[in-house]
Structure formats: C-alpha cells, structure tokens
Amino acid sequence: MLIVGRIGKPHGLRGEVTVEVRTDEPEARFAPGSVLVTEPGAAAPVNPAPGPGVPFRVPAKLTIEAARWHQGRMLVAFEGILDREVAEALRGTLLGVDSAEVAPPEDPEEFHDHQLVGLAVVNPDGEHLGEVARIDHAPASDLLVLRRPEGRTALIPFVKAIVPEVDLAGGRVVVDPPAGLLDL
C-alpha cells in the first residue's frame, strides 16, 4: 500500500475530516469517486451505531465523496460517514492506494516508499548493514529507517551525499554514513 494521507480530527458535524496529505498529487488521489484503502480491520475506540457492545471497524476501503482545501488543510467527506462521531472513529487511519496500481516515478532519482521497504542496505564496500524497515517523512528530509541485524534501528537521511545509490533491480541501497551515524 502506498500511503497518501492520514485522517485527522473531524471538521463540523456531518462527517467531514481533516487529512494530513502525504502525496505529491492530492487533487488526483482525493478526487471524488476515488477509492482509498485503509489498514485492514483496524478497531476504533467508539461505537457509533452498530448496536451496544459492537465496536466500530474502520472499513477496508473508503470512497471519496468530496474534498476541498480549507485554511491550508485538506478536508474530505467519505461516502457513508455521515456524522462527527463516526468521523472521530476514523482518526489516525492511514489512507493509501494499492501500490500495484501506481506507476513508477518518471524521475530516476525519485522512489515510492513501497519500492524501498525491504531492500538490503550495504555500505560502499558491500558490507551488509541491515534492511529498510520504513521511510519517515521528516520536514528537513526523508529518513530511511534501517533495521540493523542486531535488532536496533537507525535513521539515515535520504540525501545523495549519504545514500549515493539505490539499486531496485539488485534489491539494495548503498549508504555511506558519516562516522557514528549508525550508533545513534
């Protein structure tokens, strides 16, 4: 799944929510009629309508009914989410698209997260350093979260000076970390 957003707090009383956008193409990803996948079957903390004692479950897919920008934030209405209580139950849900449906980037220096997760990480001499566990999108730069062989994690800024090569075909990422970076 390619993450395109994260549902935030409800906006108003009719089920609209704020969305933290995590895509370069928000107008395309959040167009009315678009179907987004969620983390499957995530249990939510409230019981909006199914009946006493029946927990609300986040649907596996949500269809965009409407989306608009408001004060620099994306506001989205989903089909079937009609009140604030149900919208609140969606808070924190990650929204994505099936990564098989996403075309690879045209720029050879650009990658989708799902292309990098799971790749082996090696230094320029070929020494195995670990595996890419996930990508964190920080304000200054993206960070490769490296799962080290001993179980620890390390954060590697995803910049050309430190990550000189990404070899998707070879299943590896070459990193040239400054001294001490992997020990933090």
Side-chain angles (χ1 to χ4, degrees):
M1 175 168 83
L2 175 65
I3 303 298
V4 297
R6 182 177 165 271
I7 297 177
K9 64 184 181 178
H11 180 81
L13 301 174
R14 298 191 178 136
E16 203 170 36
V17 295
T18 61
V19 172
E20 173 191 322
V21 175
R22 296 185 183 178
T23 177
D24 293 339
E25 304 169 326
E27 285 74 20
R29 299 289 182 214
F30 295 97
S34 297
V35 177
L36 300 175
V37 294
T38 66
E39 62 266 28
V46 299
N47 181 11
V54 179
F56 174 79
R57 291 219 170 262
V58 175
K61 295 182 180 184
L62 291 168
T63 302
I64 305 288
E65 187 172 281
R68 63 188 173 98
W69 290 99
H70 176 70
Q71 296 180 348
R73 290 186 295 190
M74 173 74 73
L75 299 180
V76 176
F78 296 104
E79 289 181 8
I81 308 300
L82 304 175
D83 64 45
R84 186 178 183 88
E85 191 174 345
V86 177
E88 179 63 40
L90 297 174
R91 188 188 290 230
T93 300
L94 292 175
L95 301 169
V97 293
D98 184 352
S99 48
E101 298 175 5
V102 178
E106 292 180 20
D107 182 352
E109 297 294 316
E110 187 177 324
F111 306 94
H112 293 302
D113 293 2
H114 72 274
Q115 293 176 292
L116 301 171
V117 173
L119 294 181
V121 177
V122 298
N123 69 13
D125 296 329
E127 177 189 350
H128 181 75
L129 301 174
E131 165 182 303
V132 178
R134 71 176 187 275
I135 312 302
D136 283 352
H137 300 281
S141 73
D142 292 338
L143 299 167
L144 296 177
V145 179
L146 172 65
R147 184 179 308 116
R148 303 278 288 148
E150 67 275 6
R152 294 183 310 112
T153 59
L155 299 177
I156 300 174
F158 194 24
V159 295
K160 191 74 169 172
I162 298 173
V163 184
E165 181 184 353
V166 175
D167 179 5
L168 294 178
R172 68 187 192 125
V173 176
V174 177
V175 298
D176 191 7
L181 179 67
L182 300 180
D183 299 324
L184 295 177

